Amino acid sequence: MDDGPPRVAIVFDGAGGEEGRAAAVRIADRAVHRGDLEADLLDLAEAALPEAADPCAGPVPCAVGDLAPWLADADAFAVVTAGDDLPAGLRDAVGWCADTWRDKPIALVVAGDRTDAVRAGALLRSLPVGPVVMTASLHGGTATDRWCEDTADRLLDHLLRRVLRPRRPRTP
């Protein structure tokens, strides 16, 4: 980590609908408002990553080369998805850039109900990613602005604590 504040990459798939985009923007707004961390809003639909069927098979596509530094610069991730499935763009981002995801904490935000969040969390944990430190659901129609802000703050607090926590050496 450099001398600046910790950086959170807020990753979402804009092709997944307006609800996921709105949740990602809300989290990014809260991060900026807080001032204790920096945030990058990364739309995987705009990244247009190719399928990561066999990332070792050939040259790295330009789209992957463009996204990889943003993921590598992140100290933590907030993954935003709509419903109970993970977008293909997220699976491809993890497939192409697996090393950048492994040791960084992840918070999952699901634009859906609690059941959707549990299912999406199980799918995320099945990928080769770092620890999922929090899963939250944002109910678009039923959530108040204050509730969404509080949820975003809790999520960002969890990530910040994990990033700032000194790492303990592993014992054999």
Side-chain angles (χ1 to χ4, degrees):
M1 190 162 67
D2 65 1
D3 294 334
R7 180 176 299 277
V8 175
I10 302 164
V11 181
F12 72 103
D13 189 340
E18 189 54 38
E19 197 172 32
R21 177 184 301 279
V25 168
R26 273 190 149 158
I27 295 166
D29 287 346
R30 288 307 297 166
V32 169
H33 178 75
R34 292 166 52 110
D36 57 351
L37 49 86
E38 294 180 1
D40 294 315
L41 195 57
L42 305 176
D43 183 348
L44 296 175
E46 287 182 14
L49 298 174
E51 187 176 330
D54 187 6
C56 299
V60 175
C62 291
V64 174
D66 291 343
L67 180 64
W70 292 93
L71 298 175
D73 284 346
D75 296 301
F77 297 103
V79 173
V80 181
T81 187
D84 65 353
D85 198 9
L86 298 179
L90 176 63
R91 294 173 194 268
D92 294 332
V94 171
W96 282 107
C97 305
D99 289 344
T100 63
W101 291 85
R102 280 201 179 96
D103 294 326
K104 298 175 184 178
I106 301 170
L108 174 65
V109 178
V110 177
D113 63 23
R114 185 79 180 127
T115 303
D116 292 339
V118 170
R119 287 186 194 134
L123 290 172
L124 183 59
R125 286 177 180 89
S126 73
L127 298 177
V129 296
V132 179
V133 299
M134 181 178 176
T135 302
S137 59
L138 294 177
H139 319 281
T142 60
T144 64
D145 286 342
R146 184 70 196 147
W147 184 85
C148 289
E149 288 176 2
D150 290 346
T151 300
D153 280 336
R154 278 195 315 276
L155 173 139
L156 294 168
D157 286 344
H158 272 46
L159 290 176
L160 195 57
R161 279 193 300 272
R162 286 300 291 252
V163 168
L164 297 176
R165 178 186 299 167
R167 295 182 185 219
R168 293 184 213 148
R170 291 191 175 169
T171 56

